[in-house]
Amino acid sequence: HATDVAEQYSHIYGPMAFIIHGFVLGLLGPSIELSKALGVAAGLGSVICVFGVVRPHGTVARASALTGIYALLLLLFRHYSFWTRPEPLQLLAVSAALLFAARGRGYLAWALVGVASGLLWNLKFTGPLYSLPAFVVLQRRGGWRGAAVAWIVGIAVAALPFLAFQNVSLTNYLTWLSLSARTGLLLSVLRQNLEWAAYLSLPLLFSYYAVPRDQRSGGS
């Protein structure tokens, strides 16, 4: 296909999935090993961010255990969590946004939540759903002003590739998304997604009942 047609966007991932890999390969040289290393680094970076999120809520041992649960959940999906695809970058963006929202303060933290969220939104069009927990935490800690700042910065970061690069077409990207949307909803896949969602929510359920009843309504 020609480089300026919608068929070049034959997936639901955004241009940032290619820009990040292209930047690293252009900076350090193209190689299979480097392309794999980027995904591995992003996956491990997300584990570090998760530890930073949970560390203030207990001992080092408890934070390590919770982070270990996160790592085990990633391993359920085998290599999907660290291979050369957008998923490791999405994990890193989500966990970084949570870290900035939970540990940071002031305009810098709000802007960093926006940067991480904007990258996430550009990586995949369902990204705003994944960033909702970070915005909930940010709103509780920084109020609506913090959430608004992060939202504005996020929109700017997500839109930047479409504005800065002539070979990145928003029209073609949206055209392919509209074509993909026509596939419809498969009830069998929906059932599997609901089953996975219920299974992956078990740690949250267990942690809720592991806390004394009089502390369950607390902010932690």
Side-chain angles (χ1 to χ4, degrees):
H1 301 292
T3 58
D4 59 347
V5 295
E7 284 78 3
Q8 289 292 334
Y9 294 80
S10 56
H11 46 73
I12 57 176
Y13 298 109
M16 200 64 75
F18 302 93
I19 292 173
I20 295 175
H21 280 87
F23 174 79
V24 173
L25 293 175
L27 183 66
L28 301 178
S31 70
I32 295 296
E33 293 78 11
L34 183 59
S35 68
K36 303 296 184 183
L38 178 59
V40 173
L44 292 176
S46 73
V47 175
I48 296 173
C49 289
V50 168
F51 181 83
V53 172
V54 300
R55 176 62 185 88
H57 300 286
T59 63
V60 173
R62 178 176 295 181
S64 299
L66 292 172
T67 306
I69 292 175
Y70 168 74
L72 289 174
L73 292 176
L74 295 186
L75 291 177
L76 286 175
F77 297 94
R78 301 184 302 279
H79 59 288
Y80 286 88
S81 301
F82 55 85
W83 68 343
T84 309
R85 278 176 64 99
E87 282 81 2
L89 300 175
Q90 291 175 259
L91 291 171
L92 180 58
V94 170
S95 57
L98 275 173
L99 179 62
F100 296 138
R103 301 291 297 273
R105 294 185 180 277
Y107 283 94
L108 178 59
W110 303 344
L112 289 175
V113 173
V115 171
S117 298
L119 292 173
L120 176 63
W121 302 345
N122 191 278
L123 285 168
K124 194 173 183 180
F125 78 100
T126 52
L129 296 176
Y130 311 146
S131 62
L132 285 178
F135 274 84
V136 171
V137 174
L138 184 62
Q139 192 279 327
R140 293 188 63 179
R141 299 187 72 243
W144 290 108
R145 177 183 298 179
V149 170
W151 183 258
I152 293 172
V153 173
I155 292 176
V157 171
L160 183 61
F162 298 103
L163 302 175
F165 298 98
Q166 292 184 351
N167 60 338
V168 177
S169 170
L170 177 61
T171 301
N172 288 341
Y173 177 59
L174 294 179
T175 297
W176 184 257
L177 287 181
S178 65
L179 294 174
S180 301
R182 297 177 186 175
T183 3
L185 184 65
L186 297 177
L187 293 180
S188 59
V189 177
L190 176 61
R191 179 182 59 82
Q192 293 175 357
N193 287 337
L194 294 177
E195 290 173 351
W196 270 109
Y199 176 70
L200 297 178
S201 297
L202 287 178
L204 297 176
L205 181 65
F206 293 154
S207 64
Y208 175 79
Y209 285 103
V211 175
R213 185 183 298 273
D214 58 347
Q215 298 181 18
R216 290 176 186 171
S217 60
S220 62

Short mmCIF file of all heavy atoms in Angstrom, two decimals, residues 146-213:
data_model
loop_
_atom_site.label_atom_id
_atom_site.label_comp_id
_atom_site.label_asym_id
_atom_site.label_seq_id
_atom_site.Cartn_x
_atom_site.Cartn_y
_atom_site.Cartn_z
N GLY A 146 -6.18 19.51 39.85
CA GLY A 146 -5.13 18.57 39.46
C GLY A 146 -5.58 17.67 38.32
O GLY A 146 -4.83 17.42 37.37
N ALA A 147 -6.80 17.17 38.40
CA ALA A 147 -7.32 16.31 37.35
C ALA A 147 -7.44 17.07 36.03
O ALA A 147 -7.15 16.52 34.96
CB ALA A 147 -8.67 15.74 37.76
N ALA A 148 -7.86 18.33 36.10
CA ALA A 148 -8.00 19.14 34.88
C ALA A 148 -6.66 19.40 34.23
O ALA A 148 -6.53 19.32 32.99
CB ALA A 148 -8.71 20.45 35.22
N VAL A 149 -5.64 19.72 35.04
CA VAL A 149 -4.31 19.95 34.48
C VAL A 149 -3.79 18.70 33.79
O VAL A 149 -3.28 18.75 32.67
CB VAL A 149 -3.33 20.39 35.60
CG1 VAL A 149 -1.89 20.40 35.08
CG2 VAL A 149 -3.71 21.77 36.12
N ALA A 150 -3.95 17.54 34.46
CA ALA A 150 -3.50 16.28 33.87
C ALA A 150 -4.26 15.97 32.59
O ALA A 150 -3.69 15.49 31.61
CB ALA A 150 -3.67 15.15 34.88
N TRP A 151 -5.54 16.26 32.59
CA TRP A 151 -6.36 15.99 31.41
C TRP A 151 -5.91 16.84 30.22
O TRP A 151 -5.78 16.35 29.11
CB TRP A 151 -7.82 16.26 31.74
CG TRP A 151 -8.78 15.95 30.63
CD1 TRP A 151 -9.38 16.83 29.79
CD2 TRP A 151 -9.24 14.65 30.23
NE1 TRP A 151 -10.20 16.18 28.90
CE2 TRP A 151 -10.13 14.84 29.14
CE3 TRP A 151 -9.01 13.37 30.69
CZ2 TRP A 151 -10.76 13.78 28.51
CZ3 TRP A 151 -9.64 12.30 30.05
CH2 TRP A 151 -10.51 12.52 28.98
N ILE A 152 -5.65 18.12 30.46
CA ILE A 152 -5.23 19.02 29.38
C ILE A 152 -3.87 18.59 28.83
O ILE A 152 -3.66 18.52 27.61
CB ILE A 152 -5.19 20.47 29.89
CG1 ILE A 152 -6.61 20.95 30.21
CG2 ILE A 152 -4.54 21.39 28.86
CD1 ILE A 152 -6.66 22.31 30.89
N VAL A 153 -2.92 18.30 29.74
CA VAL A 153 -1.60 17.86 29.30
C VAL A 153 -1.71 16.54 28.54
O VAL A 153 -1.04 16.34 27.51
CB VAL A 153 -0.65 17.72 30.51
CG1 VAL A 153 0.67 17.10 30.09
CG2 VAL A 153 -0.41 19.08 31.15
N GLY A 154 -2.55 15.63 29.03
CA GLY A 154 -2.72 14.34 28.37
C GLY A 154 -3.25 14.48 26.96
O GLY A 154 -2.76 13.80 26.03
N ILE A 155 -4.22 15.33 26.76
CA ILE A 155 -4.77 15.55 25.42
C ILE A 155 -3.69 16.11 24.49
O ILE A 155 -3.57 15.68 23.33
CB ILE A 155 -5.98 16.50 25.48
CG1 ILE A 155 -7.15 15.82 26.20
CG2 ILE A 155 -6.40 16.94 24.09
CD1 ILE A 155 -8.35 16.71 26.40
N ALA A 156 -2.90 17.04 25.00
CA ALA A 156 -1.84 17.63 24.18
C ALA A 156 -0.80 16.59 23.78
O ALA A 156 -0.36 16.54 22.62
CB ALA A 156 -1.17 18.78 24.94
N VAL A 157 -0.40 15.74 24.72
CA VAL A 157 0.60 14.71 24.43
C VAL A 157 0.03 13.69 23.44
O VAL A 157 0.71 13.27 22.50
CB VAL A 157 1.06 14.02 25.72
CG1 VAL A 157 1.93 12.80 25.41
CG2 VAL A 157 1.83 15.00 26.60
N ALA A 158 -1.22 13.29 23.63
CA ALA A 158 -1.83 12.31 22.74
C ALA A 158 -1.97 12.85 21.32
O ALA A 158 -1.86 12.10 20.33
CB ALA A 158 -3.19 11.89 23.28
N ALA A 159 -2.22 14.14 21.19
CA ALA A 159 -2.43 14.74 19.87
C ALA A 159 -1.12 15.12 19.18
O ALA A 159 -1.10 15.33 17.96
CB ALA A 159 -3.30 15.99 20.00
N LEU A 160 -0.03 15.20 19.94
CA LEU A 160 1.23 15.72 19.40
C LEU A 160 1.71 14.97 18.17
O LEU A 160 2.10 15.63 17.17
CB LEU A 160 2.30 15.69 20.49
CG LEU A 160 3.67 16.26 20.10
CD1 LEU A 160 3.54 17.74 19.71
CD2 LEU A 160 4.67 16.10 21.24
N PRO A 161 1.74 13.63 18.13
CA PRO A 161 2.25 12.96 16.92
C PRO A 161 1.47 13.30 15.66
O PRO A 161 2.05 13.40 14.58
CB PRO A 161 2.11 11.47 17.27
CG PRO A 161 2.15 11.42 18.75
CD PRO A 161 1.43 12.67 19.20
N PHE A 162 0.17 13.49 15.80
CA PHE A 162 -0.65 13.82 14.63
C PHE A 162 -0.36 15.23 14.12
O PHE A 162 -0.59 15.53 12.95
CB PHE A 162 -2.12 13.68 14.97
CG PHE A 162 -2.53 12.29 15.36
CD1 PHE A 162 -2.74 11.97 16.69
CD2 PHE A 162 -2.69 11.29 14.41
CE1 PHE A 162 -3.10 10.69 17.07
CE2 PHE A 162 -3.05 10.01 14.77
CZ PHE A 162 -3.26 9.71 16.11
N LEU A 163 0.14 16.09 15.00
CA LEU A 163 0.43 17.47 14.62
C LEU A 163 1.89 17.67 14.22
O LEU A 163 2.18 18.53 13.39
CB LEU A 163 0.11 18.41 15.80
CG LEU A 163 -1.33 18.39 16.31
CD1 LEU A 163 -1.47 19.27 17.55
CD2 LEU A 163 -2.29 18.86 15.22
N ALA A 164 2.78 16.87 14.79
CA ALA A 164 4.21 17.11 14.59
C ALA A 164 4.79 16.36 13.40
O ALA A 164 5.82 16.77 12.86
CB ALA A 164 4.98 16.72 15.86
N PHE A 165 4.15 15.26 12.97
CA PHE A 165 4.71 14.44 11.91
C PHE A 165 3.77 14.44 10.70
O PHE A 165 2.59 14.13 10.84
CB PHE A 165 4.94 13.00 12.38
CG PHE A 165 5.91 12.89 13.52
CD1 PHE A 165 5.46 12.80 14.83
CD2 PHE A 165 7.27 12.88 13.28
CE1 PHE A 165 6.35 12.70 15.87
CE2 PHE A 165 8.17 12.77 14.32
CZ PHE A 165 7.71 12.69 15.63
N GLN A 166 4.32 14.76 9.54
CA GLN A 166 3.51 14.81 8.34
C GLN A 166 3.04 13.42 7.90
O GLN A 166 2.00 13.29 7.24
CB GLN A 166 4.31 15.46 7.21
CG GLN A 166 4.59 16.94 7.43
CD GLN A 166 5.30 17.57 6.25
OE1 GLN A 166 5.73 16.88 5.32
NE2 GLN A 166 5.43 18.89 6.27
N ASN A 167 3.80 12.38 8.25
CA ASN A 167 3.43 11.04 7.81
C ASN A 167 2.54 10.32 8.82
O ASN A 167 2.33 9.11 8.71
CB ASN A 167 4.68 10.20 7.55
CG ASN A 167 5.55 10.07 8.78
OD1 ASN A 167 5.47 10.87 9.69
ND2 ASN A 167 6.40 9.04 8.79
N VAL A 168 2.03 11.04 9.81
CA VAL A 168 1.09 10.47 10.78
C VAL A 168 -0.26 11.14 10.53
O VAL A 168 -0.43 12.33 10.80
CB VAL A 168 1.55 10.69 12.23
CG1 VAL A 168 0.51 10.15 13.21
CG2 VAL A 168 2.90 10.02 12.47
N SER A 169 -1.21 10.38 10.04
CA SER A 169 -2.49 10.92 9.62
C SER A 169 -3.59 10.57 10.61
O SER A 169 -3.89 9.39 10.81
CB SER A 169 -2.86 10.39 8.23
OG SER A 169 -4.18 10.72 7.90
N LEU A 170 -4.18 11.56 11.21
CA LEU A 170 -5.31 11.33 12.10
C LEU A 170 -6.52 10.81 11.33
O LEU A 170 -7.23 9.92 11.80
CB LEU A 170 -5.68 12.63 12.83
CG LEU A 170 -6.90 12.55 13.76
CD1 LEU A 170 -6.68 11.53 14.87
CD2 LEU A 170 -7.22 13.93 14.33
N THR A 171 -6.71 11.32 10.13
CA THR A 171 -7.85 10.88 9.30
C THR A 171 -7.76 9.39 8.99
O THR A 171 -8.73 8.64 9.13
CB THR A 171 -7.91 11.69 8.01
OG1 THR A 171 -8.03 13.08 8.32
CG2 THR A 171 -9.08 11.25 7.16
N ASN A 172 -6.58 8.95 8.55
CA ASN A 172 -6.41 7.54 8.22
C ASN A 172 -6.53 6.65 9.47
O ASN A 172 -7.07 5.54 9.40
CB ASN A 172 -5.06 7.31 7.55
CG ASN A 172 -5.03 7.86 6.15
OD1 ASN A 172 -6.06 8.10 5.54
ND2 ASN A 172 -3.84 8.10 5.64
N TYR A 173 -6.01 7.13 10.57
CA TYR A 173 -6.11 6.37 11.82
C TYR A 173 -7.56 6.19 12.23
O TYR A 173 -8.00 5.09 12.57
CB TYR A 173 -5.31 7.09 12.91
CG TYR A 173 -5.38 6.44 14.27
CD1 TYR A 173 -4.96 5.13 14.46
CD2 TYR A 173 -5.87 7.14 15.37
CE1 TYR A 173 -5.01 4.54 15.71
CE2 TYR A 173 -5.93 6.55 16.62
CZ TYR A 173 -5.49 5.25 16.78
OH TYR A 173 -5.55 4.66 18.02
N LEU A 174 -8.32 7.26 12.20
CA LEU A 174 -9.74 7.18 12.56
C LEU A 174 -10.52 6.35 11.55
O LEU A 174 -11.48 5.67 11.92
CB LEU A 174 -10.33 8.59 12.66
CG LEU A 174 -9.77 9.47 13.78
CD1 LEU A 174 -10.42 10.86 13.74
CD2 LEU A 174 -10.00 8.83 15.14
N THR A 175 -10.09 6.40 10.28
CA THR A 175 -10.76 5.58 9.27
C THR A 175 -10.62 4.10 9.59
O THR A 175 -11.60 3.34 9.53
CB THR A 175 -10.17 5.86 7.88
OG1 THR A 175 -10.41 7.22 7.53
CG2 THR A 175 -10.80 4.95 6.83
N TRP A 176 -9.41 3.67 9.96
CA TRP A 176 -9.23 2.28 10.28
C TRP A 176 -9.96 1.89 11.56
O TRP A 176 -10.50 0.79 11.68
CB TRP A 176 -7.75 1.93 10.39
CG TRP A 176 -7.58 0.46 10.62
CD1 TRP A 176 -7.31 -0.18 11.78
CD2 TRP A 176 -7.76 -0.55 9.64
NE1 TRP A 176 -7.28 -1.53 11.60
CE2 TRP A 176 -7.56 -1.79 10.29
CE3 TRP A 176 -8.06 -0.55 8.28
CZ2 TRP A 176 -7.64 -3.00 9.62
CZ3 TRP A 176 -8.15 -1.77 7.62
CH2 TRP A 176 -7.94 -2.97 8.29
N LEU A 177 -9.98 2.78 12.54
CA LEU A 177 -10.73 2.48 13.77
C LEU A 177 -12.21 2.27 13.47
O LEU A 177 -12.85 1.38 14.03
CB LEU A 177 -10.57 3.62 14.77
CG LEU A 177 -9.22 3.74 15.47
CD1 LEU A 177 -9.23 4.90 16.46
CD2 LEU A 177 -8.84 2.46 16.19
N SER A 178 -12.75 3.09 12.57
CA SER A 178 -14.16 2.93 12.21
C SER A 178 -14.41 1.61 11.49
O SER A 178 -15.43 0.96 11.69
CB SER A 178 -14.63 4.11 11.35
OG SER A 178 -13.95 4.13 10.12
N LEU A 179 -13.44 1.20 10.66
CA LEU A 179 -13.56 -0.10 9.99
C LEU A 179 -13.47 -1.25 10.98
O LEU A 179 -14.20 -2.23 10.89
CB LEU A 179 -12.47 -0.24 8.92
CG LEU A 179 -12.56 0.72 7.72
CD1 LEU A 179 -11.35 0.56 6.83
CD2 LEU A 179 -13.84 0.46 6.93
N SER A 180 -12.56 -1.12 11.94
CA SER A 180 -12.42 -2.17 12.96
C SER A 180 -13.66 -2.28 13.82
O SER A 180 -14.01 -3.37 14.29
CB SER A 180 -11.19 -1.88 13.83
OG SER A 180 -10.01 -1.83 13.05
N ALA A 181 -14.31 -1.15 14.06
CA ALA A 181 -15.50 -1.15 14.92
C ALA A 181 -16.65 -1.93 14.32
O ALA A 181 -17.57 -2.34 15.03
CB ALA A 181 -15.93 0.29 15.21
N ARG A 182 -16.61 -2.15 13.02
CA ARG A 182 -17.70 -2.85 12.35
C ARG A 182 -17.65 -4.37 12.55
O ARG A 182 -18.54 -5.07 12.13
CB ARG A 182 -17.67 -2.54 10.85
CG ARG A 182 -17.90 -1.06 10.54
CD ARG A 182 -17.79 -0.78 9.06
NE ARG A 182 -17.88 0.65 8.76
CZ ARG A 182 -17.71 1.18 7.56
NH1 ARG A 182 -17.44 0.37 6.52
NH2 ARG A 182 -17.79 2.48 7.37
N THR A 183 -16.58 -4.84 13.17
CA THR A 183 -16.51 -6.29 13.41
C THR A 183 -17.56 -6.75 14.38
O THR A 183 -17.92 -7.92 14.37
CB THR A 183 -15.12 -6.65 13.98
OG1 THR A 183 -14.35 -5.53 14.18
CG2 THR A 183 -14.42 -7.59 13.12
N GLY A 184 -18.04 -5.87 15.21
CA GLY A 184 -19.10 -6.24 16.15
C GLY A 184 -18.54 -6.79 17.44
O GLY A 184 -17.33 -6.85 17.66
N LEU A 185 -19.44 -7.24 18.28
CA LEU A 185 -19.09 -7.75 19.61
C LEU A 185 -19.39 -9.24 19.66
O LEU A 185 -20.52 -9.67 19.44
CB LEU A 185 -19.90 -7.02 20.69
CG LEU A 185 -19.59 -7.38 22.13
CD1 LEU A 185 -18.18 -6.96 22.49
CD2 LEU A 185 -20.60 -6.71 23.07
N LEU A 186 -18.37 -10.04 19.92
CA LEU A 186 -18.54 -11.48 20.03
C LEU A 186 -18.87 -11.83 21.48
O LEU A 186 -18.08 -11.54 22.39
CB LEU A 186 -17.28 -12.21 19.59
CG LEU A 186 -16.86 -12.01 18.12
CD1 LEU A 186 -15.55 -12.74 17.84
CD2 LEU A 186 -17.95 -12.51 17.19
N LEU A 187 -20.01 -12.44 21.70
CA LEU A 187 -20.42 -12.77 23.06
C LEU A 187 -19.46 -13.75 23.73
O LEU A 187 -19.24 -13.69 24.94
CB LEU A 187 -21.84 -13.34 23.05
CG LEU A 187 -22.94 -12.36 22.64
CD1 LEU A 187 -24.31 -13.06 22.67
CD2 LEU A 187 -22.96 -11.14 23.54
N SER A 188 -18.87 -14.65 22.94
CA SER A 188 -17.93 -15.60 23.52
C SER A 188 -16.69 -14.90 24.06
O SER A 188 -16.19 -15.21 25.16
CB SER A 188 -17.52 -16.64 22.47
OG SER A 188 -16.92 -16.00 21.34
N VAL A 189 -16.19 -13.91 23.31
CA VAL A 189 -15.03 -13.15 23.77
C VAL A 189 -15.41 -12.27 24.95
O VAL A 189 -14.63 -12.11 25.91
CB VAL A 189 -14.46 -12.30 22.61
CG1 VAL A 189 -13.31 -11.44 23.09
CG2 VAL A 189 -14.02 -13.19 21.48
N LEU A 190 -16.61 -11.69 24.92
CA LEU A 190 -17.07 -10.88 26.05
C LEU A 190 -17.13 -11.72 27.32
O LEU A 190 -16.73 -11.26 28.40
CB LEU A 190 -18.45 -10.28 25.74
CG LEU A 190 -19.10 -9.48 26.87
CD1 LEU A 190 -18.24 -8.28 27.23
CD2 LEU A 190 -20.50 -9.02 26.46
N ARG A 191 -17.61 -12.94 27.20
CA ARG A 191 -17.67 -13.83 28.37
C ARG A 191 -16.27 -14.09 28.91
O ARG A 191 -16.04 -14.06 30.13
CB ARG A 191 -18.35 -15.14 27.99
CG ARG A 191 -18.42 -16.15 29.13
CD ARG A 191 -19.07 -17.45 28.68
NE ARG A 191 -18.35 -18.05 27.58
CZ ARG A 191 -17.25 -18.80 27.73
NH1 ARG A 191 -16.75 -19.02 28.94
NH2 ARG A 191 -16.66 -19.33 26.68
N GLN A 192 -15.33 -14.34 28.03
CA GLN A 192 -13.95 -14.57 28.46
C GLN A 192 -13.37 -13.34 29.16
O GLN A 192 -12.68 -13.46 30.18
CB GLN A 192 -13.09 -14.96 27.27
CG GLN A 192 -13.44 -16.30 26.66
CD GLN A 192 -12.65 -16.58 25.40
OE1 GLN A 192 -11.87 -15.74 24.94
NE2 GLN A 192 -12.84 -17.76 24.83
N ASN A 193 -13.66 -12.17 28.61
CA ASN A 193 -13.16 -10.94 29.24
C ASN A 193 -13.74 -10.75 30.63
O ASN A 193 -13.04 -10.33 31.57
CB ASN A 193 -13.50 -9.73 28.36
CG ASN A 193 -12.64 -9.67 27.12
OD1 ASN A 193 -11.55 -10.22 27.08
ND2 ASN A 193 -13.12 -9.00 26.10
N LEU A 194 -15.04 -11.04 30.79
CA LEU A 194 -15.66 -10.91 32.10
C LEU A 194 -15.09 -11.93 33.08
O LEU A 194 -14.90 -11.62 34.27
CB LEU A 194 -17.18 -11.08 31.97
CG LEU A 194 -17.91 -9.99 31.17
CD1 LEU A 194 -19.39 -10.32 31.05
CD2 LEU A 194 -17.73 -8.62 31.84
N GLU A 195 -14.82 -13.12 32.59
CA GLU A 195 -14.22 -14.14 33.46
C GLU A 195 -12.83 -13.71 33.93
O GLU A 195 -12.49 -13.85 35.11
CB GLU A 195 -14.15 -15.48 32.72
CG GLU A 195 -15.51 -16.13 32.49
CD GLU A 195 -15.40 -17.36 31.60
OE1 GLU A 195 -14.30 -17.59 31.03
OE2 GLU A 195 -16.41 -18.09 31.47
N TRP A 196 -12.03 -13.20 32.99
CA TRP A 196 -10.71 -12.72 33.36
C TRP A 196 -10.80 -11.55 34.33
O TRP A 196 -10.01 -11.46 35.30
CB TRP A 196 -9.94 -12.30 32.10
CG TRP A 196 -9.14 -13.40 31.49
CD1 TRP A 196 -9.40 -14.05 30.32
CD2 TRP A 196 -7.96 -13.99 32.01
NE1 TRP A 196 -8.46 -15.01 30.09
CE2 TRP A 196 -7.55 -15.00 31.11
CE3 TRP A 196 -7.20 -13.78 33.16
CZ2 TRP A 196 -6.42 -15.79 31.31
CZ3 TRP A 196 -6.07 -14.57 33.35
CH2 TRP A 196 -5.69 -15.55 32.45
N ALA A 197 -11.72 -10.64 34.09
CA ALA A 197 -11.87 -9.48 34.98
C ALA A 197 -12.22 -9.93 36.40
O ALA A 197 -11.68 -9.41 37.39
CB ALA A 197 -12.94 -8.53 34.44
N ALA A 198 -13.11 -10.91 36.53
CA ALA A 198 -13.49 -11.42 37.84
C ALA A 198 -12.30 -12.09 38.51
O ALA A 198 -12.06 -11.91 39.72
CB ALA A 198 -14.66 -12.38 37.71
N TYR A 199 -11.56 -12.88 37.75
CA TYR A 199 -10.41 -13.59 38.31
C TYR A 199 -9.32 -12.62 38.77
O TYR A 199 -8.76 -12.76 39.87
CB TYR A 199 -9.85 -14.56 37.27
CG TYR A 199 -8.61 -15.28 37.71
CD1 TYR A 199 -8.66 -16.25 38.72
CD2 TYR A 199 -7.38 -15.01 37.13
CE1 TYR A 199 -7.52 -16.92 39.13
CE2 TYR A 199 -6.23 -15.67 37.53
CZ TYR A 199 -6.31 -16.63 38.53
OH TYR A 199 -5.18 -17.27 38.93
N LEU A 200 -9.03 -11.61 37.94
CA LEU A 200 -7.98 -10.66 38.28
C LEU A 200 -8.39 -9.71 39.40
O LEU A 200 -7.55 -9.02 39.97
CB LEU A 200 -7.58 -9.86 37.04
CG LEU A 200 -6.97 -10.69 35.90
CD1 LEU A 200 -6.66 -9.81 34.70
CD2 LEU A 200 -5.70 -11.40 36.36
N SER A 201 -9.69 -9.67 39.71
CA SER A 201 -10.16 -8.82 40.80
C SER A 201 -10.08 -9.52 42.16
O SER A 201 -10.32 -8.89 43.19
CB SER A 201 -11.61 -8.38 40.56
OG SER A 201 -11.70 -7.60 39.39
N LEU A 202 -9.75 -10.81 42.16
CA LEU A 202 -9.69 -11.56 43.41
C LEU A 202 -8.70 -10.96 44.43
O LEU A 202 -9.03 -10.87 45.61
CB LEU A 202 -9.34 -13.02 43.14
CG LEU A 202 -10.46 -13.87 42.52
CD1 LEU A 202 -9.96 -15.29 42.25
CD2 LEU A 202 -11.68 -13.91 43.43
N PRO A 203 -7.49 -10.52 44.00
CA PRO A 203 -6.60 -9.90 44.98
C PRO A 203 -7.20 -8.67 45.66
O PRO A 203 -6.99 -8.44 46.85
CB PRO A 203 -5.36 -9.51 44.15
CG PRO A 203 -5.37 -10.48 43.02
CD PRO A 203 -6.82 -10.69 42.69
N LEU A 204 -7.97 -7.88 44.91
CA LEU A 204 -8.63 -6.72 45.51
C LEU A 204 -9.67 -7.17 46.54
O LEU A 204 -9.78 -6.58 47.62
CB LEU A 204 -9.30 -5.87 44.43
CG LEU A 204 -8.38 -5.24 43.38
CD1 LEU A 204 -9.20 -4.52 42.33
CD2 LEU A 204 -7.40 -4.28 44.05
N LEU A 205 -10.41 -8.22 46.22
CA LEU A 205 -11.41 -8.73 47.14
C LEU A 205 -10.76 -9.28 48.41
O LEU A 205 -11.20 -8.99 49.53
CB LEU A 205 -12.24 -9.83 46.45
CG LEU A 205 -13.35 -10.47 47.28
CD1 LEU A 205 -14.42 -9.44 47.62
CD2 LEU A 205 -13.96 -11.64 46.52
N PHE A 206 -9.68 -10.03 48.24
CA PHE A 206 -8.99 -10.60 49.39
C PHE A 206 -8.39 -9.50 50.27
O PHE A 206 -8.44 -9.57 51.50
CB PHE A 206 -7.89 -11.56 48.92
CG PHE A 206 -8.42 -12.80 48.26
CD1 PHE A 206 -7.64 -13.48 47.34
CD2 PHE A 206 -9.69 -13.27 48.54
CE1 PHE A 206 -8.12 -14.62 46.71
CE2 PHE A 206 -10.19 -14.40 47.91
CZ PHE A 206 -9.41 -15.08 47.01
N SER A 207 -7.80 -8.48 49.62
CA SER A 207 -7.18 -7.41 50.40
C SER A 207 -8.23 -6.61 51.16
O SER A 207 -7.96 -6.10 52.26
CB SER A 207 -6.39 -6.48 49.48
OG SER A 207 -7.26 -5.83 48.55
N TYR A 208 -9.44 -6.51 50.62
CA TYR A 208 -10.51 -5.80 51.31
C TYR A 208 -10.87 -6.51 52.62
O TYR A 208 -10.98 -5.89 53.67
CB TYR A 208 -11.73 -5.69 50.40
CG TYR A 208 -12.94 -5.08 51.06
CD1 TYR A 208 -13.05 -3.69 51.22
CD2 TYR A 208 -13.98 -5.87 51.54
CE1 TYR A 208 -14.16 -3.12 51.83
CE2 TYR A 208 -15.09 -5.32 52.15
CZ TYR A 208 -15.17 -3.95 52.29
OH TYR A 208 -16.26 -3.39 52.91
N TYR A 209 -11.03 -7.82 52.55
CA TYR A 209 -11.42 -8.56 53.74
C TYR A 209 -10.24 -8.85 54.66
O TYR A 209 -10.44 -9.29 55.80
CB TYR A 209 -12.10 -9.88 53.34
CG TYR A 209 -13.51 -9.65 52.83
CD1 TYR A 209 -13.79 -9.69 51.47
CD2 TYR A 209 -14.55 -9.36 53.71
CE1 TYR A 209 -15.07 -9.48 50.99
CE2 TYR A 209 -15.83 -9.14 53.25
CZ TYR A 209 -16.10 -9.20 51.89
OH TYR A 209 -17.37 -8.97 51.44
N ALA A 210 -9.02 -8.60 54.19
CA ALA A 210 -7.85 -8.77 55.05
C ALA A 210 -7.67 -7.60 56.00
O ALA A 210 -6.94 -7.70 56.98
CB ALA A 210 -6.60 -8.96 54.20
N VAL A 211 -8.35 -6.49 55.71
CA VAL A 211 -8.25 -5.29 56.56
C VAL A 211 -9.34 -5.36 57.62
O VAL A 211 -10.47 -5.77 57.33
CB VAL A 211 -8.41 -4.02 55.69
CG1 VAL A 211 -8.43 -2.77 56.54
CG2 VAL A 211 -7.30 -3.96 54.66
N PRO A 212 -9.04 -4.97 58.87
CA PRO A 212 -10.07 -4.94 59.90
C PRO A 212 -11.28 -4.12 59.46
O PRO A 212 -11.15 -3.12 58.76
CB PRO A 212 -9.37 -4.29 61.10
CG PRO A 212 -7.92 -4.63 60.89
CD PRO A 212 -7.71 -4.63 59.40
N ARG A 213 -12.46 -4.55 59.89
CA ARG A 213 -13.69 -3.95 59.43
C ARG A 213 -13.73 -2.44 59.68
O ARG A 213 -14.21 -1.68 58.84
CB ARG A 213 -14.89 -4.62 60.13
CG ARG A 213 -16.25 -4.14 59.62
CD ARG A 213 -17.36 -4.81 60.41
NE ARG A 213 -17.35 -6.25 60.23
CZ ARG A 213 -17.96 -6.86 59.24
NH1 ARG A 213 -18.63 -6.18 58.33
NH2 ARG A 213 -17.90 -8.19 59.13
#
